[in-house]
Amino acid sequence: MLDVGAGTGLLALEARRRVGPSGRVVAVDVSQDALRECRRQAALDELVVPLHLVVGDALQLPFHDNCFDAVLTRSVLIYLTAKLTAVRELRRVLRPGGRASIFEPVNSASDGYAWNWGLDLSSLQPAHDRIVAYLREHWEHENAMLGFDERDLVGCFVEAGFASVRLSYEYRYDCDRRRPGEITASLRVRPNPTMLSYEEGARAILGDAADDHLLRLSRLMLSQPLTGVMAAAHITARRSS
Ligand SMILES: C[S@@+](CC[C@H](N)C(=O)[O-])C[C@H]1O[C@@H](n2cnc3c(N)ncnc32)[C@H](O)[C@@H]1O
C-alpha cells in the first residue's frame, strides 16, 4: 500500500502493522526531513514488513501505473491547488479493483481561520481586523486550504474515474470555556505550518502595543465560553476491476 504525503509516518507505520507479513508499505512525501523522522520511528519498531520511503510529489507520483492495492492520504490534498491532478495520480497508481482512502479537514466549513471564537470583538477593533487581514495575506496556501468543500473532493474522485465513491462527513460544534493555558496556546500556535500565529500577526501589526492587545483579547476569551467548528471529509473509493 502507498501513503501519499506520509509525513512522519503516522499512517504508514500503522499500515505496516496491518498489512501482514507478505505486505509492503511505501511512504512518499516531498519533505526529506519528514521521511527521515519516519525512518527513525520505523527503526524503533520490531516489525520486519518493509517500509519504503520515497521523496516525491503527490502531483506526479514516482511510480508505475497499476502497482498498489491500496493508497491513502491524510491532510495532504488541503495543501494542493490541483486536487484533481493528485486524485488522478492516486487512481493511476492503483491496480484495477484497488482502493483509495483520504481524510481531509474541510476548512471552509470551520471557523478556525476567522479568529473570532463567537465573541463580540468590537472593543478590540480596528486592530483585530487588521491582524486577521495580515495573517490571511501572509498565508501561502489560503486558496488551496479554504477554497473547497467535501463535494469538491467527491467531484475529484468521480472525475478521476473511480468506480465507487463514499463520503463520510464529520462536523463538530463546541461551545465551552477554555483554560488560560489553552487560550495562550491558541494565540501562540501556528494553525498550520504555512501560516503565522495570531500573536505573530499582532506583533507585526501593533509592535509595542501587541502585548496590551493580546492581554485584552485573552481576558475577553476567558470571560465567556468560546465556540469552535471543525469539519472533515473521509472518502473511500474503488478503482473499477
Ligand atoms: C499535515 S501533514 C500530514 C502528514 C501525514 N499524512 C499524517 O496524517 O500524519 C502534510 C504532509 O504533506 C506533505 N506534502 C505537502 N505537499 C505535498 C506534495 N505535493 N507531495 C507530497 N507530499 C506533500 C508535507 O510534506 C507533509 O508531510
Side-chain angles (χ1 to χ4, degrees):
M1 65 142 290
L2 172 68
D3 182 3
V4 178
T8 55
L10 220 60
L11 299 185
L13 293 171
E14 179 58 29
R16 204 161 71 126
R17 285 180 201 109
R18 296 193 186 195
V19 290
S22 62
R24 291 166 121 217
V25 178
V26 179
V28 64
D29 201 287
V30 277
S31 163
Q32 216 148 10
D33 288 343
L35 291 179
R36 201 170 294 127
E37 174 60 17
C38 183
R39 182 183 304 285
R40 194 185 68 79
Q41 297 206 23
L44 303 175
D45 225 323
E46 284 171 5
L47 284 177
V48 288
V49 171
L51 175 65
H52 304 279
L53 304 179
V54 180
V55 176
D57 189 346
L59 297 174
Q60 206 171 1
L61 291 171
F63 307 110
H64 296 300
D65 297 356
N66 311 337
C67 60
F68 292 98
D69 294 320
V71 296
L72 59 85
T73 184
R74 187 179 73 167
S75 299
V76 176
L77 296 184
I78 43 169
Y79 292 103
L80 309 178
T81 308
K83 292 179 177 50
L84 175 58
T85 305
V87 176
R88 284 200 166 116
E89 281 294 274
L90 298 181
R91 183 182 176 280
R92 180 183 66 75
V93 300
L94 269 181
R95 66 160 171 76
R99 292 171 301 146
S101 165
I102 69 157
F103 181 92
E104 299 290 332
V106 180
N107 293 317
S108 54
S110 91
D111 61 356
Y113 297 106
W115 287 276
N116 66 26
W117 306 277
L119 298 172
D120 174 2
L121 293 168
S122 48
S123 64
L124 293 165
Q125 298 297 11
H128 177 73
D129 280 355
R130 286 178 56 215
I131 293 165
V132 171
Y134 179 87
L135 293 174
R136 293 184 80 133
E137 265 166 40
H138 291 78
W139 185 12
E140 187 192 330
H141 290 85
E142 178 178 4
N143 209 24
M145 291 186 89
L146 286 183
F148 74 95
D149 66 14
E150 68 286 0
R151 290 178 189 215
D152 297 313
L153 292 176
V154 167
C156 288
F157 278 80
V158 171
E159 201 168 333
F162 278 89
S164 74
V165 182
R166 304 276 183 272
L167 165 73
S168 305
Y169 185 69
E170 185 187 344
Y171 183 93
R172 216 176 77 191
Y173 168 85
D174 291 302
C175 180
D176 47 27
R177 288 193 175 271
R178 311 266 167 91
R179 290 193 293 273
E182 293 171 319
I183 286 172
T184 307
S186 63
L187 298 176
R188 199 164 275 172
V189 164
R190 295 183 170 187
N192 67 70
T194 69
M195 190 172 206
L196 298 173
S197 69
Y198 187 92
E199 182 176 324
E200 287 171 309
R203 298 208 181 283
I205 291 292
L206 302 177
D208 290 344
D211 283 328
D212 178 59
H213 178 85
L214 291 166
L215 185 64
R216 288 193 298 135
L217 175 57
S218 303
R219 283 193 182 135
L220 188 61
M221 290 172 77
L222 265 177
S223 70
Q224 51 196 290
L226 305 181
T227 63
V229 170
M230 182 294 256
H234 175 207
I235 293 176
T236 53
R238 191 176 45 77
R239 191 178 163 177
S240 55
S241 311

